[in-house]
């Protein structure tokens, strides 16, 4: 529970199989500083280890920002060694988010810039409010993206469009982010969390082991060649075929009833 985790900058709640992780620094547009990264890591580790959690919704407090980026006040005073360590830690946290073994929905309720855009990209699915804004403005600060932006953005939108965003530091609208494939859907702000919940409900109706291995196959497959990706997929297909969930899923289909999966 949140009290046990002693989180300073993140709200954490679990309800009906969903963990809600909310960046809670609205006065600075939910900017990421070291204590916030540590809080995020604690929350996602808890969600990963809790078998009752089937998915996570990540969002920001207030209606202006998801995460507006790094805390510039902190960033201004780091030296080269500290900056590299900070980048590596942020990358580690976002790798945890990306490889949680459970779906993570980013409910993007405003600015998602710099580290905020990078955090959203580490999530499984991105749902944006109509007023959301996206960008990687690090070059304007004399920096490169440090939370995985140079790697995840080309994989999501293609190298050319990614480099245009990274090298210009421009900010784009939610509608443009949808057009280029950076976000999955754009919805009215009032419907943002409800839509994220609906997607998680759809996913959690499926076999948990199959969901976990589907995520893993896609994530690992992108980091290898296609032939190795096919081999990985076949391996996971075989593992799933040996589960009780596969037996239940195929039986339910043949018997024209809804399956009852138990993650076994």
């Amino acid at each position: 529970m949140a009290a046990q985790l002693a989180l300073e900058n993140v709200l954490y709640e679990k309800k009906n199989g969903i963990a809600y992780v909310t960046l809670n620094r609205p006065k600075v547009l939910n900017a990421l500083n070291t204590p916030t990264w540590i809080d995020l890591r604690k929350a996602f580790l808890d969600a990963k280890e809790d078998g009752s959690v089937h998915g996570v919704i990540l969002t920001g407090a207030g209606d202006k920002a998801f995460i507006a980026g790094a805390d510039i006040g902190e960033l201004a005073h780091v030296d080269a060694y500290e900056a590299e360590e900070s980048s590596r830690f942020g990358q580690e946290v976002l790798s945890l988010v990306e490889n949680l073994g459970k779906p993570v929905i980013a409910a993007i309720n405003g600015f998602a810039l710099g580290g905020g855009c990078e955090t959203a990209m580490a999530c499984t699915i991105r749902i944006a409010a109509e007023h959301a804004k996206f960008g990687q403005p690090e070059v304007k600060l004399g920096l490169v993206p440090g939370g995985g932006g140079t790697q995840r953005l080309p994989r999501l939108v293609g190298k050319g469009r990614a480099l245009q965003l990274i090298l210009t530091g421009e900010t784009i609208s939610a509608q443009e982010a949808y057009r280029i494939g950076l976000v999955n859907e754009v919805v009215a702000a009032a419907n943002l969390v409800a839509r994220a919940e609906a997607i998680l409900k759809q996913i959690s109706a499926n076999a948990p082991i199959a969901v976990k291995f589907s995520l893993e196959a896609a994530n690992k497959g992108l980091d290898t060649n296609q032939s190795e990706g096919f081999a990985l997929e076949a391996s996971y297909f075989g593992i799933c075929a040996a589960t009780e969930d596969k037996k239940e899923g195929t039986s339910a289909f043949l018997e024209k009833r809804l399956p009852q999966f138990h993650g076994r």
Side-chain angles (χ1 to χ4, degrees):
M1 303 300 288
Q4 295 172 316
L5 290 175
L7 304 180
E8 180 184 353
N9 296 322
V10 168
L11 302 176
Y12 184 59
E13 180 186 10
K14 291 182 278 192
K15 185 170 60 178
N16 299 325
I18 299 175
Y20 296 81
V21 179
T22 305
L23 272 288
N24 191 32
R25 303 184 75 210
K27 290 183 180 178
V28 290
L29 300 179
N30 303 317
L32 291 161
N33 60 5
T34 300
T36 306
W37 279 118
I38 292 170
D39 281 357
L40 277 173
R41 186 174 184 273
K42 289 179 181 177
F44 276 95
L45 279 173
D46 183 88
K48 183 183 180 75
E49 293 164 5
D50 188 339
S52 70
V53 171
H54 303 303
V56 180
I57 294 175
L58 175 63
T59 193
D63 57 4
K64 292 182 179 179
F66 172 68
I67 301 167
D71 189 318
I72 306 302
E74 181 182 87
L75 190 61
H77 302 290
V78 298
D79 61 23
Y81 174 80
E82 291 166 337
E84 183 173 347
E85 289 297 297
S86 173
S87 174
R88 289 186 186 278
F89 185 65
Q91 290 170 357
E92 176 196 321
V93 175
L94 295 186
S95 289
L96 169 65
V97 173
E98 187 171 49
N99 299 295
L100 201 69
K102 305 171 184 183
V104 180
I105 313 293
I108 303 158
N109 55 315
F111 290 110
L113 305 175
C117 189
E118 290 169 318
T119 300
M121 289 191 290
C123 296
T124 315
I125 294 170
R126 286 155 293 284
I127 309 299
E130 291 170 328
H131 69 288
K133 304 285 185 185
F134 298 82
Q136 297 286 165
E138 287 86 352
V139 290
K140 295 184 176 183
L141 300 172
L143 293 165
V144 303
T150 62
Q151 304 306 303
R152 289 193 178 94
L153 192 55
R155 285 167 166 80
L156 279 169
V157 306
K159 182 180 175 182
R161 193 67 181 97
L163 283 175
Q164 185 177 349
L165 287 169
I166 291 167
L167 298 180
T168 64
E170 70 175 308
T171 299
I172 61 171
S173 68
Q175 293 73 22
E176 175 65 3
Y178 173 74
R179 189 187 72 80
I180 66 174
L182 180 53
V183 300
N184 297 71
E185 297 180 18
V186 178
V187 301
N191 300 333
L192 187 62
V193 173
R195 179 58 186 146
E197 289 170 338
I199 293 170
L200 282 184
K201 187 176 180 181
Q202 275 184 291
I203 295 171
S204 63
N206 299 318
I209 296 172
V211 168
K212 177 179 183 291
F213 282 131
S214 294
L215 276 167
E216 205 165 304
N219 285 340
K220 287 185 176 179
L222 283 171
D223 292 327
T224 186
N225 61 54
Q226 192 176 58
S227 178
E228 290 174 351
F230 285 151
L232 183 67
E233 180 181 271
S235 173
Y236 288 154
F237 191 82
I239 292 170
C240 288
T243 63
E244 291 179 25
D245 279 352
K246 175 261 183 181
K247 184 177 180 180
E248 167 62 13
T250 53
S251 296
F253 179 85
L254 293 171
E255 294 164 13
K256 295 181 171 55
R257 61 175 175 83
L258 291 175
Q260 299 295 317
F261 295 120
H262 299 290
R264 296 194 296 270

